Amino acid sequence: MSLTSLIIDNRWVLEVLYAFVISAICMAIVFKTDKLYKISLHKGIRYFRNVFFFYGIAFIARYIFGVLSDSAFEYVLFAKVAFEYFIVMAGFFLLYSLIWRKFESQKTHYFTSLFNSKVAIFHLMALIIAVLDVLWGAYDFMFYSQIIVFVFASIISYNNYIKNGKERKFLKFSFLAMILGLSAWILNLVTEMYLSWSHKALFGIGLINIAFFFLFLYGVIKITNSTK
């Protein structure tokens, strides 16, 4: 049996397993970064925690999208909008966790970092992108927005890695993860536009995405262990 046939025959199982693995990794990162934030009260860590909270919710929505794939159209539509909204928000928070100092100080206090005056525009943009993709019948707006986000995030991460010696180990994992994330989004766009959603290509992208999340988890574990 070929790899393509194996993927097609077990697609639903692989989708559920994929969503579960990534959601579990995200929740582990959220838990560990929340502990780091409570120790340091560093706002960058707080926004970084939000990244994986939204990624985790996004992949739970993706699981629901798979379960409802044969259900009523409106349920499928809602699950698709939810998945895109949460995953785009995660990307925006990832970028904001790197540049938040340009817009607020460490002393600035908001009741919640999930929704405040500084990140409200991200929520609006994420919702618009998700709705436009549904109306467009594709994923183009999500793909292009996240490619732009990861290009900037990769550049900033590299600059931080070069300049910051104290956190060099974590920043190395962060930069490598950004490159993987950028690669995955570019490949997603290429697969949609030129490869007709090739199952082999999607399988490869899935592996890259898992590596992306594992790199961040490994980096967070290293930082957590070093603070004990």
Side-chain angles (χ1 to χ4, degrees):
M1 181 181 290
S2 66
L3 177 60
T4 303
S5 299
L6 185 64
I7 294 171
I8 294 173
D9 292 343
N10 298 278
R11 184 177 178 181
W12 187 83
V13 176
L14 290 174
E15 282 281 343
V16 172
L17 182 62
Y18 176 65
F20 174 79
V21 168
I22 291 183
S23 296
I25 294 172
C26 288
M27 291 306 107
I29 294 174
V30 168
F31 176 75
K32 288 185 175 297
T33 50
D34 187 61
K35 290 176 66 175
L36 285 174
Y37 171 69
K38 288 176 179 177
I39 293 171
S40 66
L41 296 180
H42 191 284
K43 294 183 71 173
I45 295 175
R46 194 183 191 194
Y47 287 121
F48 182 76
R49 176 194 62 189
N50 294 350
V51 175
F52 296 93
F53 173 78
F54 277 100
Y55 272 135
I57 299 298
F59 280 92
I60 290 172
R62 178 173 179 150
Y63 165 74
I64 295 171
F65 178 48
V67 171
L68 296 177
S69 59
D70 296 322
S71 302
F73 177 73
E74 59 268 23
Y75 292 119
V76 176
L77 210 61
F78 177 78
K80 184 177 184 295
V81 170
F83 170 70
E84 282 209 27
Y85 167 77
F86 287 119
I87 207 161
V88 170
M89 275 302 303
F92 286 155
F93 266 118
L94 185 62
L95 180 59
Y96 193 71
S97 70
L98 297 170
I99 62 173
W100 66 273
R101 286 188 180 87
K102 297 183 181 295
F103 302 95
E104 53 185 288
S105 70
Q106 180 66 29
K107 294 181 180 180
T108 306
H109 178 73
Y110 294 108
F111 177 73
T112 175
S113 61
L114 293 172
F115 190 94
N116 57 54
S117 60
K118 298 298 183 183
V119 301
I121 186 64
F122 294 148
H123 288 277
L124 179 60
M125 290 171 63
L127 185 59
I128 290 172
I129 288 168
V131 171
L132 284 175
D133 269 342
V134 168
L135 296 176
W136 196 260
Y139 294 91
D140 297 33
F141 291 98
M142 178 176 70
F143 290 161
Y144 282 116
S145 71
Q146 295 309 289
I147 287 171
I148 293 170
V149 162
F150 272 84
V151 165
F152 282 105
S154 297
I155 293 170
I156 295 169
S157 293
Y158 179 74
N159 287 334
N160 289 341
Y161 171 66
I162 295 298
K163 296 176 182 178
N164 198 324
K166 292 182 180 179
E167 301 173 2
R168 202 171 178 85
K169 286 186 178 180
F170 175 73
L171 292 172
K172 178 181 180 180
F173 292 117
S174 176
F175 172 64
L176 291 175
M178 296 297 184
I179 296 300
L180 284 176
L182 176 60
S183 301
W185 284 115
I186 293 173
L187 288 172
N188 267 310
L189 182 62
V190 170
T191 302
E192 180 193 42
M193 294 180 68
Y194 303 108
L195 301 178
S196 302
W197 296 113
S198 162
H199 294 290
K200 285 184 178 179
L202 289 175
F203 184 74
I205 293 168
L207 293 179
I208 293 173
N209 280 332
I210 291 173
F212 166 82
F213 287 103
F214 263 120
L215 266 176
F216 273 119
L217 177 60
Y218 183 71
V220 168
I221 289 173
K222 293 279 286 185
I223 291 293
T224 304
N225 290 341
S226 67
T227 60
K228 292 180 180 179

